Amino acid sequence: MDARRAVADLKEEIVSLRRDLHMHPETAFTEERTAALIARRLRGLGYTVREKVGRTGVVALLETGEPGPTLAIRADIDALPIQEVPGRPYGSRVAGKMHA
């Protein structure tokens, strides 16, 4: 399957996930829901997952059994203590917190 087809097939799921995360923002060291969601999805993809790293962090490893380079990806998952501008159906549902 080519990359464009794979992305097109996942587009709706990815947009839905992104909107869900934006509706439920959690600030630093309170990302319980977000971390659990990430861990669950990574396990579903076959990764070995460690949770609660540095309190709310998630570390995942995908063993391929093949030699070669390792790719590391780091991402912030915390929201900011900022009030969301109202009006978007997928905007923050938590007063005073948003992904900005």
PDB file of all heavy atoms in Angstrom, residues 28-67:
ATOM      1  N   ALA A  28       0.557  20.417  32.436  1.00  0.00           N
ATOM      2  CA  ALA A  28       1.737  19.647  32.842  1.00  0.00           C
ATOM      3  C   ALA A  28       1.519  18.810  34.101  1.00  0.00           C
ATOM      4  O   ALA A  28       1.013  19.299  35.100  1.00  0.00           O
ATOM      5  CB  ALA A  28       2.919  20.590  33.044  1.00  0.00           C
ATOM      6  N   PHE A  29       1.909  17.558  33.997  1.00  0.00           N
ATOM      7  CA  PHE A  29       1.864  16.577  35.078  1.00  0.00           C
ATOM      8  C   PHE A  29       0.459  16.208  35.534  1.00  0.00           C
ATOM      9  O   PHE A  29       0.273  15.633  36.604  1.00  0.00           O
ATOM     10  CB  PHE A  29       2.735  17.015  36.264  1.00  0.00           C
ATOM     11  CG  PHE A  29       4.165  17.221  35.874  1.00  0.00           C
ATOM     12  CD1 PHE A  29       4.718  18.490  35.863  1.00  0.00           C
ATOM     13  CD2 PHE A  29       4.956  16.152  35.481  1.00  0.00           C
ATOM     14  CE1 PHE A  29       6.035  18.693  35.481  1.00  0.00           C
ATOM     15  CE2 PHE A  29       6.279  16.346  35.093  1.00  0.00           C
ATOM     16  CZ  PHE A  29       6.816  17.607  35.093  1.00  0.00           C
ATOM     17  N   THR A  30      -0.564  16.535  34.707  1.00  0.00           N
ATOM     18  CA  THR A  30      -1.930  16.082  34.977  1.00  0.00           C
ATOM     19  C   THR A  30      -2.488  15.324  33.772  1.00  0.00           C
ATOM     20  O   THR A  30      -3.687  15.077  33.708  1.00  0.00           O
ATOM     21  CB  THR A  30      -2.865  17.267  35.309  1.00  0.00           C
ATOM     22  OG1 THR A  30      -2.999  18.110  34.165  1.00  0.00           O
ATOM     23  CG2 THR A  30      -2.358  18.067  36.500  1.00  0.00           C
ATOM     24  N   GLU A  31      -1.632  14.935  32.835  1.00  0.00           N
ATOM     25  CA  GLU A  31      -2.087  14.350  31.566  1.00  0.00           C
ATOM     26  C   GLU A  31      -2.472  12.873  31.698  1.00  0.00           C
ATOM     27  O   GLU A  31      -2.032  12.030  30.922  1.00  0.00           O
ATOM     28  CB  GLU A  31      -1.004  14.487  30.477  1.00  0.00           C
ATOM     29  CG  GLU A  31      -0.483  15.882  30.291  1.00  0.00           C
ATOM     30  CD  GLU A  31       0.841  16.079  31.012  1.00  0.00           C
ATOM     31  OE1 GLU A  31       1.034  15.548  32.112  1.00  0.00           O
ATOM     32  OE2 GLU A  31       1.689  16.776  30.452  1.00  0.00           O
ATOM     33  N   GLU A  32      -3.288  12.546  32.675  1.00  0.00           N
ATOM     34  CA  GLU A  32      -3.688  11.160  32.926  1.00  0.00           C
ATOM     35  C   GLU A  32      -4.497  10.579  31.758  1.00  0.00           C
ATOM     36  O   GLU A  32      -4.210   9.492  31.258  1.00  0.00           O
ATOM     37  CB  GLU A  32      -4.505  11.065  34.220  1.00  0.00           C
ATOM     38  CG  GLU A  32      -3.772  11.572  35.451  1.00  0.00           C
ATOM     39  CD  GLU A  32      -2.629  10.680  35.889  1.00  0.00           C
ATOM     40  OE1 GLU A  32      -2.664   9.469  35.581  1.00  0.00           O
ATOM     41  OE2 GLU A  32      -1.698  11.196  36.532  1.00  0.00           O
ATOM     42  N   ARG A  33      -5.532  11.271  31.341  1.00  0.00           N
ATOM     43  CA  ARG A  33      -6.395  10.790  30.249  1.00  0.00           C
ATOM     44  C   ARG A  33      -5.614  10.715  28.944  1.00  0.00           C
ATOM     45  O   ARG A  33      -5.696   9.733  28.211  1.00  0.00           O
ATOM     46  CB  ARG A  33      -7.607  11.715  30.094  1.00  0.00           C
ATOM     47  CG  ARG A  33      -8.564  11.310  29.007  1.00  0.00           C
ATOM     48  CD  ARG A  33      -9.703  12.348  28.861  1.00  0.00           C
ATOM     49  NE  ARG A  33     -10.692  11.911  27.913  1.00  0.00           N
ATOM     50  CZ  ARG A  33     -10.579  12.049  26.586  1.00  0.00           C
ATOM     51  NH1 ARG A  33      -9.501  12.596  26.061  1.00  0.00           N
ATOM     52  NH2 ARG A  33     -11.542  11.631  25.788  1.00  0.00           N
ATOM     53  N   THR A  34      -4.855  11.762  28.660  1.00  0.00           N
ATOM     54  CA  THR A  34      -4.091  11.819  27.418  1.00  0.00           C
ATOM     55  C   THR A  34      -3.065  10.696  27.361  1.00  0.00           C
ATOM     56  O   THR A  34      -2.948   9.995  26.353  1.00  0.00           O
ATOM     57  CB  THR A  34      -3.384  13.183  27.293  1.00  0.00           C
ATOM     58  OG1 THR A  34      -4.372  14.216  27.359  1.00  0.00           O
ATOM     59  CG2 THR A  34      -2.616  13.296  25.996  1.00  0.00           C
ATOM     60  N   ALA A  35      -2.317  10.507  28.442  1.00  0.00           N
ATOM     61  CA  ALA A  35      -1.292   9.466  28.477  1.00  0.00           C
ATOM     62  C   ALA A  35      -1.906   8.069  28.336  1.00  0.00           C
ATOM     63  O   ALA A  35      -1.374   7.218  27.621  1.00  0.00           O
ATOM     64  CB  ALA A  35      -0.481   9.569  29.770  1.00  0.00           C
ATOM     65  N   ALA A  36      -3.030   7.839  29.002  1.00  0.00           N
ATOM     66  CA  ALA A  36      -3.691   6.534  28.908  1.00  0.00           C
ATOM     67  C   ALA A  36      -4.162   6.263  27.479  1.00  0.00           C
ATOM     68  O   ALA A  36      -4.027   5.145  26.964  1.00  0.00           O
ATOM     69  CB  ALA A  36      -4.862   6.461  29.882  1.00  0.00           C
ATOM     70  N   LEU A  37      -4.697   7.278  26.832  1.00  0.00           N
ATOM     71  CA  LEU A  37      -5.150   7.137  25.445  1.00  0.00           C
ATOM     72  C   LEU A  37      -3.967   6.811  24.525  1.00  0.00           C
ATOM     73  O   LEU A  37      -4.040   5.893  23.698  1.00  0.00           O
ATOM     74  CB  LEU A  37      -5.833   8.430  25.007  1.00  0.00           C
ATOM     75  CG  LEU A  37      -6.551   8.420  23.672  1.00  0.00           C
ATOM     76  CD1 LEU A  37      -7.704   9.399  23.702  1.00  0.00           C
ATOM     77  CD2 LEU A  37      -5.640   8.739  22.528  1.00  0.00           C
ATOM     78  N   ILE A  38      -2.869   7.525  24.689  1.00  0.00           N
ATOM     79  CA  ILE A  38      -1.677   7.279  23.871  1.00  0.00           C
ATOM     80  C   ILE A  38      -1.149   5.872  24.116  1.00  0.00           C
ATOM     81  O   ILE A  38      -0.845   5.135  23.170  1.00  0.00           O
ATOM     82  CB  ILE A  38      -0.602   8.341  24.173  1.00  0.00           C
ATOM     83  CG1 ILE A  38      -1.051   9.702  23.652  1.00  0.00           C
ATOM     84  CG2 ILE A  38       0.753   7.946  23.581  1.00  0.00           C
ATOM     85  CD1 ILE A  38      -0.213  10.864  24.146  1.00  0.00           C
ATOM     86  N   ALA A  39      -1.034   5.470  25.375  1.00  0.00           N
ATOM     87  CA  ALA A  39      -0.519   4.142  25.708  1.00  0.00           C
ATOM     88  C   ALA A  39      -1.400   3.041  25.113  1.00  0.00           C
ATOM     89  O   ALA A  39      -0.899   2.070  24.539  1.00  0.00           O
ATOM     90  CB  ALA A  39      -0.419   3.988  27.229  1.00  0.00           C
ATOM     91  N   ARG A  40      -2.707   3.192  25.234  1.00  0.00           N
ATOM     92  CA  ARG A  40      -3.644   2.192  24.700  1.00  0.00           C
ATOM     93  C   ARG A  40      -3.492   2.053  23.179  1.00  0.00           C
ATOM     94  O   ARG A  40      -3.435   0.962  22.641  1.00  0.00           O
ATOM     95  CB  ARG A  40      -5.076   2.579  25.080  1.00  0.00           C
ATOM     96  CG  ARG A  40      -6.125   1.578  24.649  1.00  0.00           C
ATOM     97  CD  ARG A  40      -7.519   1.912  25.194  1.00  0.00           C
ATOM     98  NE  ARG A  40      -7.953   3.260  24.892  1.00  0.00           N
ATOM     99  CZ  ARG A  40      -8.075   4.242  25.791  1.00  0.00           C
ATOM    100  NH1 ARG A  40      -7.786   4.037  27.055  1.00  0.00           N
ATOM    101  NH2 ARG A  40      -8.501   5.440  25.424  1.00  0.00           N
ATOM    102  N   ARG A  41      -3.393   3.167  22.490  1.00  0.00           N
ATOM    103  CA  ARG A  41      -3.262   3.131  21.028  1.00  0.00           C
ATOM    104  C   ARG A  41      -1.931   2.534  20.601  1.00  0.00           C
ATOM    105  O   ARG A  41      -1.871   1.774  19.642  1.00  0.00           O
ATOM    106  CB  ARG A  41      -3.468   4.522  20.451  1.00  0.00           C
ATOM    107  CG  ARG A  41      -4.929   4.991  20.641  1.00  0.00           C
ATOM    108  CD  ARG A  41      -5.212   6.279  19.968  1.00  0.00           C
ATOM    109  NE  ARG A  41      -5.116   6.180  18.530  1.00  0.00           N
ATOM    110  CZ  ARG A  41      -6.125   5.946  17.701  1.00  0.00           C
ATOM    111  NH1 ARG A  41      -7.333   5.771  18.188  1.00  0.00           N
ATOM    112  NH2 ARG A  41      -5.936   5.911  16.412  1.00  0.00           N
ATOM    113  N   LEU A  42      -0.853   2.878  21.314  1.00  0.00           N
ATOM    114  CA  LEU A  42       0.450   2.308  20.967  1.00  0.00           C
ATOM    115  C   LEU A  42       0.496   0.804  21.223  1.00  0.00           C
ATOM    116  O   LEU A  42       1.053   0.055  20.421  1.00  0.00           O
ATOM    117  CB  LEU A  42       1.563   3.021  21.736  1.00  0.00           C
ATOM    118  CG  LEU A  42       1.857   4.450  21.276  1.00  0.00           C
ATOM    119  CD1 LEU A  42       2.787   5.148  22.256  1.00  0.00           C
ATOM    120  CD2 LEU A  42       2.437   4.453  19.868  1.00  0.00           C
ATOM    121  N   ARG A  43      -0.103   0.349  22.324  1.00  0.00           N
ATOM    122  CA  ARG A  43      -0.180  -1.098  22.568  1.00  0.00           C
ATOM    123  C   ARG A  43      -0.947  -1.790  21.441  1.00  0.00           C
ATOM    124  O   ARG A  43      -0.571  -2.870  20.993  1.00  0.00           O
ATOM    125  CB  ARG A  43      -0.856  -1.386  23.904  1.00  0.00           C
ATOM    126  CG  ARG A  43       0.035  -1.202  25.075  1.00  0.00           C
ATOM    127  CD  ARG A  43      -0.571  -1.759  26.370  1.00  0.00           C
ATOM    128  NE  ARG A  43       0.321  -1.472  27.462  1.00  0.00           N
ATOM    129  CZ  ARG A  43       0.206  -0.430  28.284  1.00  0.00           C
ATOM    130  NH1 ARG A  43      -0.800   0.421  28.161  1.00  0.00           N
ATOM    131  NH2 ARG A  43       1.084  -0.235  29.241  1.00  0.00           N
ATOM    132  N   GLY A  44      -2.020  -1.163  20.984  1.00  0.00           N
ATOM    133  CA  GLY A  44      -2.804  -1.722  19.887  1.00  0.00           C
ATOM    134  C   GLY A  44      -2.020  -1.840  18.597  1.00  0.00           C
ATOM    135  O   GLY A  44      -2.348  -2.651  17.726  1.00  0.00           O
ATOM    136  N   LEU A  45      -0.964  -1.040  18.458  1.00  0.00           N
ATOM    137  CA  LEU A  45      -0.106  -1.097  17.277  1.00  0.00           C
ATOM    138  C   LEU A  45       1.078  -2.045  17.458  1.00  0.00           C
ATOM    139  O   LEU A  45       1.923  -2.165  16.583  1.00  0.00           O
ATOM    140  CB  LEU A  45       0.416   0.312  16.939  1.00  0.00           C
ATOM    141  CG  LEU A  45      -0.645   1.302  16.473  1.00  0.00           C
ATOM    142  CD1 LEU A  45      -0.062   2.716  16.414  1.00  0.00           C
ATOM    143  CD2 LEU A  45      -1.196   0.885  15.112  1.00  0.00           C
ATOM    144  N   GLY A  46       1.145  -2.707  18.630  1.00  0.00           N
ATOM    145  CA  GLY A  46       2.198  -3.688  18.854  1.00  0.00           C
ATOM    146  C   GLY A  46       3.417  -3.193  19.603  1.00  0.00           C
ATOM    147  O   GLY A  46       4.412  -3.915  19.712  1.00  0.00           O
ATOM    148  N   TYR A  47       3.368  -1.987  20.136  1.00  0.00           N
ATOM    149  CA  TYR A  47       4.495  -1.456  20.885  1.00  0.00           C
ATOM    150  C   TYR A  47       4.496  -1.988  22.318  1.00  0.00           C
ATOM    151  O   TYR A  47       3.437  -2.271  22.888  1.00  0.00           O
ATOM    152  CB  TYR A  47       4.419   0.076  20.964  1.00  0.00           C
ATOM    153  CG  TYR A  47       4.744   0.793  19.686  1.00  0.00           C
ATOM    154  CD1 TYR A  47       3.825   0.855  18.647  1.00  0.00           C
ATOM    155  CD2 TYR A  47       5.970   1.410  19.517  1.00  0.00           C
ATOM    156  CE1 TYR A  47       4.127   1.514  17.463  1.00  0.00           C
ATOM    157  CE2 TYR A  47       6.284   2.075  18.343  1.00  0.00           C
ATOM    158  CZ  TYR A  47       5.355   2.116  17.320  1.00  0.00           C
ATOM    159  OH  TYR A  47       5.653   2.770  16.147  1.00  0.00           O
ATOM    160  N   THR A  48       5.686  -2.114  22.899  1.00  0.00           N
ATOM    161  CA  THR A  48       5.836  -2.354  24.327  1.00  0.00           C
ATOM    162  C   THR A  48       5.807  -0.975  24.973  1.00  0.00           C
ATOM    163  O   THR A  48       6.563  -0.088  24.570  1.00  0.00           O
ATOM    164  CB  THR A  48       7.177  -3.057  24.626  1.00  0.00           C
ATOM    165  OG1 THR A  48       7.215  -4.286  23.919  1.00  0.00           O
ATOM    166  CG2 THR A  48       7.351  -3.293  26.112  1.00  0.00           C
ATOM    167  N   VAL A  49       4.950  -0.790  25.959  1.00  0.00           N
ATOM    168  CA  VAL A  49       4.697   0.549  26.507  1.00  0.00           C
ATOM    169  C   VAL A  49       5.001   0.601  27.995  1.00  0.00           C
ATOM    170  O   VAL A  49       4.627  -0.293  28.747  1.00  0.00           O
ATOM    171  CB  VAL A  49       3.212   0.951  26.262  1.00  0.00           C
ATOM    172  CG1 VAL A  49       2.898   2.294  26.893  1.00  0.00           C
ATOM    173  CG2 VAL A  49       2.915   0.973  24.772  1.00  0.00           C
ATOM    174  N   ARG A  50       5.673   1.679  28.396  1.00  0.00           N
ATOM    175  CA  ARG A  50       5.873   2.009  29.809  1.00  0.00           C
ATOM    176  C   ARG A  50       5.118   3.294  30.089  1.00  0.00           C
ATOM    177  O   ARG A  50       5.245   4.265  29.347  1.00  0.00           O
ATOM    178  CB  ARG A  50       7.354   2.215  30.116  1.00  0.00           C
ATOM    179  CG  ARG A  50       8.137   0.927  30.163  1.00  0.00           C
ATOM    180  CD  ARG A  50       9.615   1.136  30.485  1.00  0.00           C
ATOM    181  NE  ARG A  50       9.854   2.129  31.498  1.00  0.00           N
ATOM    182  CZ  ARG A  50      10.889   2.975  31.476  1.00  0.00           C
ATOM    183  NH1 ARG A  50      11.749   2.953  30.486  1.00  0.00           N
ATOM    184  NH2 ARG A  50      11.045   3.850  32.440  1.00  0.00           N
ATOM    185  N   GLU A  51       4.344   3.286  31.155  1.00  0.00           N
ATOM    186  CA  GLU A  51       3.569   4.469  31.533  1.00  0.00           C
ATOM    187  C   GLU A  51       4.122   5.081  32.818  1.00  0.00           C
ATOM    188  O   GLU A  51       4.901   4.470  33.521  1.00  0.00           O
ATOM    189  CB  GLU A  51       2.104   4.091  31.729  1.00  0.00           C
ATOM    190  CG  GLU A  51       1.426   3.617  30.458  1.00  0.00           C
ATOM    191  CD  GLU A  51      -0.015   3.276  30.666  1.00  0.00           C
ATOM    192  OE1 GLU A  51      -0.817   4.216  30.833  1.00  0.00           O
ATOM    193  OE2 GLU A  51      -0.335   2.072  30.678  1.00  0.00           O
ATOM    194  N   LYS A  52       3.679   6.297  33.093  1.00  0.00           N
ATOM    195  CA  LYS A  52       4.039   7.049  34.296  1.00  0.00           C
ATOM    196  C   LYS A  52       5.544   7.311  34.368  1.00  0.00           C
ATOM    197  O   LYS A  52       6.126   7.355  35.450  1.00  0.00           O
ATOM    198  CB  LYS A  52       3.518   6.348  35.541  1.00  0.00           C
ATOM    199  CG  LYS A  52       1.999   6.195  35.528  1.00  0.00           C
ATOM    200  CD  LYS A  52       1.471   5.769  36.859  1.00  0.00           C
ATOM    201  CE  LYS A  52      -0.016   5.517  36.820  1.00  0.00           C
ATOM    202  NZ  LYS A  52      -0.850   6.565  36.340  1.00  0.00           N
ATOM    203  N   VAL A  53       6.173   7.505  33.234  1.00  0.00           N
ATOM    204  CA  VAL A  53       7.589   7.860  33.173  1.00  0.00           C
ATOM    205  C   VAL A  53       7.686   9.360  33.454  1.00  0.00           C
ATOM    206  O   VAL A  53       7.064  10.158  32.753  1.00  0.00           O
ATOM    207  CB  VAL A  53       8.183   7.520  31.786  1.00  0.00           C
ATOM    208  CG1 VAL A  53       9.623   7.973  31.687  1.00  0.00           C
ATOM    209  CG2 VAL A  53       8.040   6.037  31.496  1.00  0.00           C
ATOM    210  N   GLY A  54       8.417   9.737  34.490  1.00  0.00           N
ATOM    211  CA  GLY A  54       8.463  11.156  34.860  1.00  0.00           C
ATOM    212  C   GLY A  54       7.085  11.666  35.245  1.00  0.00           C
ATOM    213  O   GLY A  54       6.710  12.784  34.931  1.00  0.00           O
ATOM    214  N   ARG A  55       6.280  10.851  35.852  1.00  0.00           N
ATOM    215  CA  ARG A  55       4.909  11.094  36.317  1.00  0.00           C
ATOM    216  C   ARG A  55       3.839  10.734  35.306  1.00  0.00           C
ATOM    217  O   ARG A  55       3.042   9.858  35.559  1.00  0.00           O
ATOM    218  CB  ARG A  55       4.712  12.531  36.779  1.00  0.00           C
ATOM    219  CG  ARG A  55       4.772  12.669  38.271  1.00  0.00           C
ATOM    220  CD  ARG A  55       4.094  13.938  38.696  1.00  0.00           C
ATOM    221  NE  ARG A  55       5.114  14.799  39.260  1.00  0.00           N
ATOM    222  CZ  ARG A  55       4.942  16.054  39.545  1.00  0.00           C
ATOM    223  NH1 ARG A  55       3.803  16.637  39.300  1.00  0.00           N
ATOM    224  NH2 ARG A  55       5.909  16.752  40.066  1.00  0.00           N
ATOM    225  N   THR A  56       3.789  11.442  34.180  1.00  0.00           N
ATOM    226  CA  THR A  56       2.696  11.194  33.228  1.00  0.00           C
ATOM    227  C   THR A  56       3.200  10.860  31.832  1.00  0.00           C
ATOM    228  O   THR A  56       2.413  10.826  30.882  1.00  0.00           O
ATOM    229  CB  THR A  56       1.767  12.418  33.143  1.00  0.00           C
ATOM    230  OG1 THR A  56       2.538  13.555  32.779  1.00  0.00           O
ATOM    231  CG2 THR A  56       1.039  12.657  34.453  1.00  0.00           C
ATOM    232  N   GLY A  57       4.488  10.591  31.688  1.00  0.00           N
ATOM    233  CA  GLY A  57       5.048  10.301  30.373  1.00  0.00           C
ATOM    234  C   GLY A  57       4.778   8.883  29.910  1.00  0.00           C
ATOM    235  O   GLY A  57       4.477   7.987  30.701  1.00  0.00           O
ATOM    236  N   VAL A  58       4.894   8.695  28.609  1.00  0.00           N
ATOM    237  CA  VAL A  58       4.721   7.383  27.975  1.00  0.00           C
ATOM    238  C   VAL A  58       5.947   7.131  27.108  1.00  0.00           C
ATOM    239  O   VAL A  58       6.354   7.987  26.336  1.00  0.00           O
ATOM    240  CB  VAL A  58       3.455   7.356  27.081  1.00  0.00           C
ATOM    241  CG1 VAL A  58       3.315   6.033  26.368  1.00  0.00           C
ATOM    242  CG2 VAL A  58       2.212   7.664  27.901  1.00  0.00           C
ATOM    243  N   VAL A  59       6.534   5.952  27.271  1.00  0.00           N
ATOM    244  CA  VAL A  59       7.649   5.536  26.433  1.00  0.00           C
ATOM    245  C   VAL A  59       7.238   4.244  25.747  1.00  0.00           C
ATOM    246  O   VAL A  59       6.727   3.333  26.389  1.00  0.00           O
ATOM    247  CB  VAL A  59       8.936   5.303  27.266  1.00  0.00           C
ATOM    248  CG1 VAL A  59      10.049   4.734  26.402  1.00  0.00           C
ATOM    249  CG2 VAL A  59       9.379   6.596  27.934  1.00  0.00           C
ATOM    250  N   ALA A  60       7.444   4.183  24.443  1.00  0.00           N
ATOM    251  CA  ALA A  60       7.040   2.998  23.678  1.00  0.00           C
ATOM    252  C   ALA A  60       8.206   2.509  22.833  1.00  0.00           C
ATOM    253  O   ALA A  60       8.995   3.303  22.321  1.00  0.00           O
ATOM    254  CB  ALA A  60       5.848   3.330  22.789  1.00  0.00           C
ATOM    255  N   LEU A  61       8.296   1.191  22.677  1.00  0.00           N
ATOM    256  CA  LEU A  61       9.355   0.577  21.896  1.00  0.00           C
ATOM    257  C   LEU A  61       8.738  -0.436  20.947  1.00  0.00           C
ATOM    258  O   LEU A  61       7.936  -1.276  21.355  1.00  0.00           O
ATOM    259  CB  LEU A  61      10.349  -0.126  22.834  1.00  0.00           C
ATOM    260  CG  LEU A  61      11.493  -0.891  22.176  1.00  0.00           C
ATOM    261  CD1 LEU A  61      12.423   0.066  21.439  1.00  0.00           C
ATOM    262  CD2 LEU A  61      12.252  -1.692  23.216  1.00  0.00           C
ATOM    263  N   LEU A  62       9.118  -0.344  19.690  1.00  0.00           N
ATOM    264  CA  LEU A  62       8.666  -1.312  18.692  1.00  0.00           C
ATOM    265  C   LEU A  62       9.869  -2.132  18.259  1.00  0.00           C
ATOM    266  O   LEU A  62      10.781  -1.614  17.612  1.00  0.00           O
ATOM    267  CB  LEU A  62       8.042  -0.612  17.483  1.00  0.00           C
ATOM    268  CG  LEU A  62       7.517  -1.541  16.394  1.00  0.00           C
ATOM    269  CD1 LEU A  62       6.410  -2.441  16.923  1.00  0.00           C
ATOM    270  CD2 LEU A  62       7.018  -0.728  15.208  1.00  0.00           C
ATOM    271  N   GLU A  63       9.900  -3.376  18.669  1.00  0.00           N
ATOM    272  CA  GLU A  63      10.976  -4.296  18.300  1.00  0.00           C
ATOM    273  C   GLU A  63      10.653  -4.905  16.948  1.00  0.00           C
ATOM    274  O   GLU A  63       9.589  -5.493  16.768  1.00  0.00           O
ATOM    275  CB  GLU A  63      11.125  -5.405  19.343  1.00  0.00           C
ATOM    276  CG  GLU A  63      11.664  -4.942  20.668  1.00  0.00           C
ATOM    277  CD  GLU A  63      13.163  -4.674  20.639  1.00  0.00           C
ATOM    278  OE1 GLU A  63      13.832  -4.954  19.615  1.00  0.00           O
ATOM    279  OE2 GLU A  63      13.664  -4.172  21.650  1.00  0.00           O
ATOM    280  N   THR A  64      11.568  -4.738  16.013  1.00  0.00           N
ATOM    281  CA  THR A  64      11.355  -5.311  14.678  1.00  0.00           C
ATOM    282  C   THR A  64      12.113  -6.607  14.483  1.00  0.00           C
ATOM    283  O   THR A  64      11.819  -7.360  13.554  1.00  0.00           O
ATOM    284  CB  THR A  64      11.798  -4.325  13.588  1.00  0.00           C
ATOM    285  OG1 THR A  64      13.214  -4.129  13.686  1.00  0.00           O
ATOM    286  CG2 THR A  64      11.060  -3.000  13.718  1.00  0.00           C
ATOM    287  N   GLY A  65      13.126  -6.855  15.331  1.00  0.00           N
ATOM    288  CA  GLY A  65      13.950  -8.031  15.157  1.00  0.00           C
ATOM    289  C   GLY A  65      14.968  -7.869  14.040  1.00  0.00           C
ATOM    290  O   GLY A  65      15.697  -8.799  13.710  1.00  0.00           O
ATOM    291  N   GLU A  66      15.012  -6.706  13.457  1.00  0.00           N
ATOM    292  CA  GLU A  66      15.931  -6.419  12.352  1.00  0.00           C
ATOM    293  C   GLU A  66      17.031  -5.477  12.828  1.00  0.00           C
ATOM    294  O   GLU A  66      16.770  -4.575  13.616  1.00  0.00           O
ATOM    295  CB  GLU A  66      15.181  -5.766  11.188  1.00  0.00           C
ATOM    296  CG  GLU A  66      14.069  -6.611  10.602  1.00  0.00           C
ATOM    297  CD  GLU A  66      14.595  -7.823   9.854  1.00  0.00           C
ATOM    298  OE1 GLU A  66      15.687  -7.734   9.263  1.00  0.00           O
ATOM    299  OE2 GLU A  66      13.915  -8.867   9.872  1.00  0.00           O
ATOM    300  N   PRO A  67      18.252  -5.653  12.320  1.00  0.00           N
ATOM    301  CA  PRO A  67      19.309  -4.697  12.664  1.00  0.00           C
ATOM    302  C   PRO A  67      19.080  -3.376  11.941  1.00  0.00           C
ATOM    303  O   PRO A  67      18.342  -3.330  10.953  1.00  0.00           O
ATOM    304  CB  PRO A  67      20.574  -5.388  12.140  1.00  0.00           C
ATOM    305  CG  PRO A  67      20.091  -6.259  11.032  1.00  0.00           C
ATOM    306  CD  PRO A  67      18.698  -6.703  11.425  1.00  0.00           C
TER     307      PRO A  67
END
